[in-house]
Amino acid sequence: MPTRPGTPRLLRRLNDRAALELLLSSGPLTRAELGEHTGLSKVTAGQLLSRLQERDLVAVVGEQAGGRGPNAALYGVVPSCAYVAGLDVLPDRISAGIADITGTLVAEVSVDPSGHEDPVRLVRSAVSQACASAGIGADRLRAFVIGTRGVVDPRTGDVRFSFDLPSWHNGVLAELRRDLGVPVTIENDVNLAALAERAYGAALGVDDFVLVWAGVGQGLGVMLGGRLHRGFTGGAGEIGWLPVPGEPLPTDVSEPQSGSFQRLVGGDAVTGLANAHGIGTSVSASGASGASGGDSDAGSVGEHVRTAVAEGAEAFLDELAGRLAVGVAAVAVVLDPGLIVLSGDVGRAGGDALAARVQDAVARVCPSQPQVVVSRVQGNPVLRGALVSALQQAREQVFSDTI
């Protein structure tokens, strides 16, 4: 197949993109430093910086003291050249965040969705409040990613089904795009948590890993070759339905609590196990479904585990780890990831103590022996992942249109 020669315009665009990415990852830089990193001559680097300054993408942000000559100007990406929005949508809370093009979180708000079932109105309200808190207009947003529980159809981008959010149905995505007038993407919440883990957490820069979301519900984020694996229907990672020896198989898959692995490690199971060991008897939590559903208080389920760690309840932690290891081992023998990250309310509450026990339990039953660690993402991992995804889209738009 013949290749297209690189035109001067295309080469300038590629150089601009490389320079902007470099300034984000390693900046601020002087003109000489930029030339050294990119292989461009000082003259070409200077022309590039002038071009990006004219587009208000780059500005002088300081000086670097040199030898006998004048100080060299330091250049950095202008944070306000673009903004993105991210949302974490739960049945009882919507969290919205705004980040500038550098990835800095400039605003975060929470909205109570009670009494409002229209997804478009809820999202518009949350975004408006977040933009007001950030002091920007919604027209400054270049990309917008929403994290939801449930299965997102990779072919249409719509929520195929969600036990917790019945009003999020086919057609919602198109309505959101029309209403907001900005590119909108809906993504499974656990997938977004995996993106955040790779960008900021325990899987920083790792191309192949699995994130196990353990909480009231169970979920799996699979990263292969640096890309999320969603499956043909978007259902990859619905680990709550994993068949487990000794647990009954579901008779009706429309019942979110009926998955075998969910019965073993879900909200009801953790609460029952805690009660059996006399842990956190003052903390109550009703049962719930898998990663895509449930009415139980996830914080309460996590509190049982947090209390067990604080009290040194080794028998409880050992049994919980053994149960989680059933699912982790099943994933390990199929995907053979070198790293498995525990997240979710139970995973994060269990911390290193639980992760180490899960790793040991997996090693006893599985020929592949992945490292198991706890999440290192600070704050809301789903919201942070939504912003990571939105930033990828926004930078593709902004940084590819400099000529």
Side-chain angles (χ1 to χ4, degrees), residues 46-289:
Q47 293 172 340
L48 179 153
L49 287 169
S50 296
R51 186 163 60 246
L52 296 180
Q53 282 182 286
E54 291 175 0
R55 297 294 298 264
D56 294 323
L57 297 176
V58 166
V60 175
V61 296
E63 293 183 340
Q64 184 181 83
R68 297 180 179 179
N71 293 343
L74 284 168
Y75 296 87
V77 174
V78 176
S80 60
C81 68
Y83 293 91
V84 299
L87 260 73
D88 175 24
V89 178
L90 295 171
D92 59 349
R93 186 185 73 255
I94 296 178
S95 299
I98 305 292
D100 63 34
I101 198 67
T102 70
T104 300
L105 183 67
V106 295
E108 182 176 349
V109 302
S110 290
V111 176
D112 183 357
S114 300
H116 303 282
E117 295 185 357
D118 180 7
V120 177
R121 289 183 57 191
L122 285 171
V123 168
R124 186 196 314 127
S125 174
V127 173
S128 296
Q129 292 185 44
C131 285
S133 179
I136 66 167
D139 59 341
R140 303 287 303 280
L141 299 176
R142 298 298 292 265
F144 185 9
V145 175
I146 303 171
T148 69
R149 294 176 175 178
V151 175
V152 178
D153 190 328
R155 293 164 294 185
T156 66
D158 258 313
V159 177
R160 192 158 60 86
F161 67 85
S162 174
F163 295 113
D164 282 336
L165 303 167
S167 60
W168 288 73
H169 50 74
N170 284 334
V172 166
L173 180 60
E175 293 175 19
L176 286 168
R177 288 173 173 170
R178 283 194 299 268
D179 185 82
L180 296 172
V182 65
V184 179
T185 302
I186 302 176
E187 181 62 271
N188 172 264
D189 55 353
V190 180
N191 283 342
L192 292 178
L195 286 179
E197 207 65 54
R198 187 169 185 261
Y200 307 113
L204 181 65
V206 178
D207 285 341
D208 295 274
F209 74 94
V210 168
L211 180 138
V212 176
W213 186 276
V216 168
Q218 319 311 309
L220 202 68
V222 180
M223 188 75 68
L224 299 176
R227 301 181 65 181
L228 284 171
H229 177 72
R230 298 177 175 85
F232 180 69
T233 66
E238 294 295 317
I239 196 175
W241 299 101
L242 182 73
V244 173
E247 294 293 332
L249 294 174
T251 57
D252 182 358
V253 294
S254 67
E255 290 294 331
Q257 300 184 45
S258 60
S260 298
F261 189 58
Q262 174 64 30
R263 292 176 184 269
L264 185 67
V265 297
D268 280 344
V270 173
T271 297
L273 187 61
N275 291 338
H277 286 268
I279 295 166
T281 54
S282 62
V283 180
S284 62
S286 60
S289 74

Side-chain angles (χ1 to χ4, degrees), residues 287-318:
S289 74
S292 303
D295 299 320
S296 172
D297 185 340
S300 297
V301 175
E303 192 60 34
H304 289 309
V305 182
R306 193 171 293 107
T307 300
V309 172
E311 295 178 354
E314 295 190 4
F316 168 84
L317 292 173
D318 286 343

Side-chain angles (χ1 to χ4, degrees), residues 202 305 309 317 321 342 346-360 371-376:
V305 182
V309 172
L317 292 173
L342 288 185
V346 168
R348 288 161 72 96
D352 294 330
L354 181 61
R357 285 172 165 83
V358 172
Q359 178 171 309
D360 291 343
Q371 180 185 13
V372 181
V373 300
V374 68
S375 169
R376 301 297 182 198

